[in-house]
Amino acid sequence: MLSQRLRTARKAKGLTQEELAERVRTTKGTISNYENNHSTPPNDMLMQLADILEVTTDWLLGRTDDGAAYVATASAQADHRSLDELLQEKIDDPDDYYFLDGYLEASEEEKKEIRRYWYDLKRQWKTRQVRETRPPSLFDITEELKKK
């Protein structure tokens, strides 16, 4: 039970065995052994795994089947994050970075104006039934230039 639930929770969090191992300060092989039921984590490791995977030890051990009550979903977490935090995630994408460059440092008034302009532009697209096309991204263009 533990091995299956550990793997399920790890994948739900989008972590590799190696990434999970780094977070709990162990090796990929140890995580693999837990997931393949070759060994069982000690209590302190079990608690660390539960904390990182945002589940309870009871759920990991199969003492309860109500995983929905314990597994924190990404969408529920996103609802509690601020606009700045959500935008910070987008900045990790090179295309979004260039588009949003300076947004996080802008004043609230400037941010409102940018959002107002964006919503107005989207409304115009809908009323004109303009199809959004995807031209090459700035990142793609830059990468193509590097190859030449």
Side-chain angles (χ1 to χ4, degrees):
M1 182 67 67
L2 170 68
S3 59
Q4 295 167 339
R5 290 196 171 183
L6 181 59
R7 178 176 287 131
T8 299
R10 175 182 58 79
K11 288 183 177 182
K13 291 290 288 179
L15 296 172
T16 64
Q17 288 181 342
E18 189 171 33
E19 290 168 333
L20 180 57
E22 287 175 13
R23 292 189 183 189
V24 294
R25 295 181 182 97
T26 191
T27 65
K28 177 185 181 250
T30 300
I31 300 298
S32 177
N33 284 337
Y34 296 158
E35 289 186 2
N36 291 308
N37 211 21
H38 295 300
S39 63
T40 305
N43 290 341
D44 59 331
M45 176 63 77
L46 185 65
M47 289 187 294
Q48 284 183 332
L49 290 166
D51 288 344
I52 288 169
L53 297 172
E54 298 182 17
V55 295
T56 65
T57 54
D58 280 351
W59 185 82
L60 279 175
L61 294 170
R63 293 185 57 167
T64 180
D65 289 329
D66 189 11
Y70 302 107
V71 179
T73 62
S75 61
Q77 292 174 356
D79 292 343
H80 293 47
R81 291 182 289 174
S82 71
L83 178 61
D84 286 347
E85 290 171 320
L86 293 170
L87 284 170
Q88 186 63 50
E89 283 181 16
K90 296 302 286 176
I91 287 176
D92 293 337
D93 182 337
D95 291 332
D96 292 333
Y97 173 79
Y98 290 113
F99 178 75
L100 296 170
D101 187 30
Y103 183 85
L104 295 177
E105 292 81 28
S107 68
E108 279 305 310
E109 187 175 314
E110 291 169 325
K111 288 178 183 179
K112 285 179 185 177
E113 186 63 29
I114 291 168
R115 288 190 300 262
R116 189 177 306 119
Y117 179 76
W118 178 250
Y119 293 133
D120 185 47
L121 186 59
K122 286 179 72 173
R123 190 180 73 246
Q124 288 176 24
W125 283 340
K126 286 180 184 178
T127 58
R128 295 182 189 160
Q129 295 181 343
V130 174
R131 288 187 43 194
E132 295 180 49
T133 59
R134 197 107 188 179
S137 69
L138 183 57
F139 180 75
D140 292 338
I141 293 169
T142 306
E143 290 299 306
E144 198 61 38
L145 289 173
K146 287 179 183 177
K147 291 178 184 176
K148 292 180 181 180

